[in-house]
């Protein structure tokens, strides 16, 4: 059954916006009296009955609320440097949403080819992917930020912080740990993963991360594109924390 | 460094085809005397020197051979029902190649929306993804086949055979096992995974699989699109067998 999205439903606004209303009435042919399911993007599913099938503004009554609909047993924040090709970041956003992610931050690294990020398309994809994969929560898309500012901003966080670094760690005073090992040995269910740009993180970015308590992790031996690495990391968290 | 591909290099054919030659000379501006690296698609990387920079047919001499270039410590066959949208299967083929897959078979299930598969674009993607991700082997793309024929065809195989089934297993006489558990508890490095169509495998397809020694597996609680499920399964094998 297709889901609808209404942001302010929990505050008592029992109507769909113009786009959702058009889809509801003109495409799916719902009429007054029909049952529809609506997510609020904040984990809840509302089972409703259509009270006014206006194709510009559908109104409904709430019959039942389901908390934590389609939720997952961990909190994951994926901070990913957008690749040069914007389609690829959009693929990642869609796939990460289906699998299970809570927050996404686009990162600009020292070696990033891309230093501009337009959030609108990705935001739409997060909403549609959440509806399509039956999740009550829509991942939060944060404003793009530099790697160093992101690391500073997470300084007080009590989460498992993983930086996926391709290059050698010699001289950094730490070992590189396989992501599955990091997740397996940590009881944390609050996880942040950083995926760097095409040219990898810079040495000084990794040094700052290590100083900030980030664990330098490996995603294995394969040479993965940014969006592939990001989806593999998301899958690693999902698979390990769902066992 | 960009890789080139020459299928018959191991049989003594030390030249690039028209497309590769054009790219080599006109795009990358290689000239006689330059070093180039060429994969044969069967695990080997050849370090070569250009002897004739003809943009229609580059010739080269082999200086060194590297066996098992970019290889992975398992053998994975992904049998996946192509989704209605062909882009999505192509996306899976590219990602699976980057991560590490050896064989791909498109499947037609009883509930498949798509019963026609054109291999040419996917074949090109397998070649380009192998070069881009620095793998000496190009995954083998088998002809599309029905789920039931595929199960019969794998009857004699001594591999870990996993069928990812979304529906309930009540009445089948087996339990559904999480894919990570299946991989973790099996020493097998020869693995076959089946991913069904949008409508899932049919009951009779699963019964045939169970009778054929396939383990019914779960990819967790999330509702994944076909291509997402296929990439998550590929990642699960890669992450578990690379630890």
């Amino acid at each position: 059954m297709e889901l609808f999205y209404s942001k302010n439903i929990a505050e008592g606004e029992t109507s769909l916006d113009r786009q959702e209303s058009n889809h509801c009435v003109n495409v799916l042919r719902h009429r007054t009296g029909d049952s529809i399911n609506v997510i609020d993007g904040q984990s809840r599913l509302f089972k409703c009955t259509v009270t006014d099938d206006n194709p510009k503004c559908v109104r409904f009554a709430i019959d039942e609320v389901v908390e934590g609909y389609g939720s997952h047993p961990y909190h994951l924040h994926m901070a990913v440097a957008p690749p040069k090709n914007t389609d690829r970041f959009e693929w990642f956003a869609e796939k990460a949403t289906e699998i299970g992610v809570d927050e996404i931050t686009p990162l600009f690294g020292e070696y990033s080819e891309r230093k501009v990020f337009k959030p609108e398309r990705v935001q739409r994809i997060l909403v549609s992917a959440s509806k399509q994969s039956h999740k009550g929560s829509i991942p939060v898309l944060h404003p793009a930020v530099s790697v160093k500012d992101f690391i500073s901003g997470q300084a007080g966080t009590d989460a498992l912080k993983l930086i996926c670094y391709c290059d050698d760690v010699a001289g950094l005073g730490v070992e590189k740990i396989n992501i599955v090992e990091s997740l397996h040995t940590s009881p944390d269910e609050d996880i942040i993963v950083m995926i760097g740009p095409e040219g990898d993180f810079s040495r000084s970015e990794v040094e700052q991360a290590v100083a900030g308590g980030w664990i330098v992790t490996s995603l294995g031996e394969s040479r993965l594109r940014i969006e592939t690495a990001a989806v593999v990391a998301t899958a690693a968290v999902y698979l390990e924390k769902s066992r």
Side-chain angles (χ1 to χ4, degrees), chain A:
Chain A
M1 183 188 216
E2 277 206 41
L3 296 185
F4 297 93
Y5 166 52
S6 183
K7 193 171 174 182
N8 299 316
I9 193 175
E11 283 135 51
E13 190 171 306
T14 50
S15 65
L16 299 179
D17 69 19
R18 203 171 181 113
Q19 192 181 347
E20 295 272 334
S21 297
N22 176 63
H23 191 71
C24 184
V25 177
N26 292 333
V27 179
L28 296 179
R29 304 223 172 280
H30 283 295
R31 296 290 176 260
T32 297
D34 281 4
S35 296
I36 58 168
N37 288 344
V38 187
I39 58 165
D40 68 348
Q42 296 181 60
S43 92
R44 299 176 205 90
L45 177 89
F46 294 77
K47 297 186 177 185
C48 309
T49 304
V50 177
T51 53
D52 180 6
D53 53 30
N54 178 345
K56 293 181 186 175
C57 186
V58 166
R59 294 205 168 276
F60 52 81
I62 297 168
D63 304 319
E64 195 187 327
V65 185
V66 179
E67 298 281 343
Y69 184 70
S71 64
H72 44 263
Y74 55 83
H75 186 97
L76 174 61
H77 185 158
M78 290 297 303
V80 181
K84 206 164 144 190
N85 178 316
T86 43
D87 283 357
R88 295 178 175 278
F89 193 87
E90 288 164 17
W91 273 114
F92 150 68
E94 181 186 275
K95 283 6 186 154
T97 300
E98 289 174 51
I99 295 167
V101 69
D102 301 276
E103 302 176 63
I104 294 175
T105 299
L107 290 180
F108 296 137
E110 226 174 286
Y111 298 157
S112 278
E113 297 203 32
R114 172 170 283 285
K115 300 271 191 179
V116 173
F117 180 79
K118 293 179 185 175
E120 297 80 12
R121 281 178 59 113
V122 176
Q123 187 59 57
R124 283 198 294 274
I125 282 163
L126 294 178
V127 174
S128 63
S130 298
K131 291 196 293 181
Q132 185 270 332
S133 59
H134 281 248
K135 292 187 194 296
S137 287
I138 296 170
V140 174
L141 178 64
H142 295 290
V145 71
S146 74
V147 169
K148 291 191 167 182
D149 285 348
F150 184 75
I151 294 170
S152 305
Q154 298 295 332
T157 318
D158 191 27
L160 178 66
K161 303 189 285 196
L162 308 177
I163 173 170
C164 296
Y165 184 50
C166 305
D167 211 340
D168 216 304
V169 288
L172 282 168
V174 293
E175 273 182 44
K176 198 190 286 188
I177 312 203
N178 180 280
I179 193 170
V180 179
E181 298 306 327
S182 311
L183 294 166
H184 196 61
T185 51
S186 165
D188 269 303
E189 300 204 319
D190 220 329
I191 301 143
I192 316 175
V193 180
M194 279 204 291
I195 303 284
E198 288 92 344
D200 207 354
F201 290 106
S202 69
R203 193 72 170 183
S204 82
E205 285 167 342
V206 183
E207 282 165 354
Q208 186 195 347
V210 169
W214 289 74
I215 295 171
V216 184
T217 38
S218 155
L219 287 171
E221 296 304 307
S222 287
R223 241 169 122 113
L224 306 173
R225 285 178 180 273
I226 293 172
E227 74 280 7
T228 315
V231 171
V232 169
T234 305
V237 174
Y238 166 72
L239 291 164
E240 185 57 33
K241 297 297 176 186
S242 301
R243 286 176 73 175

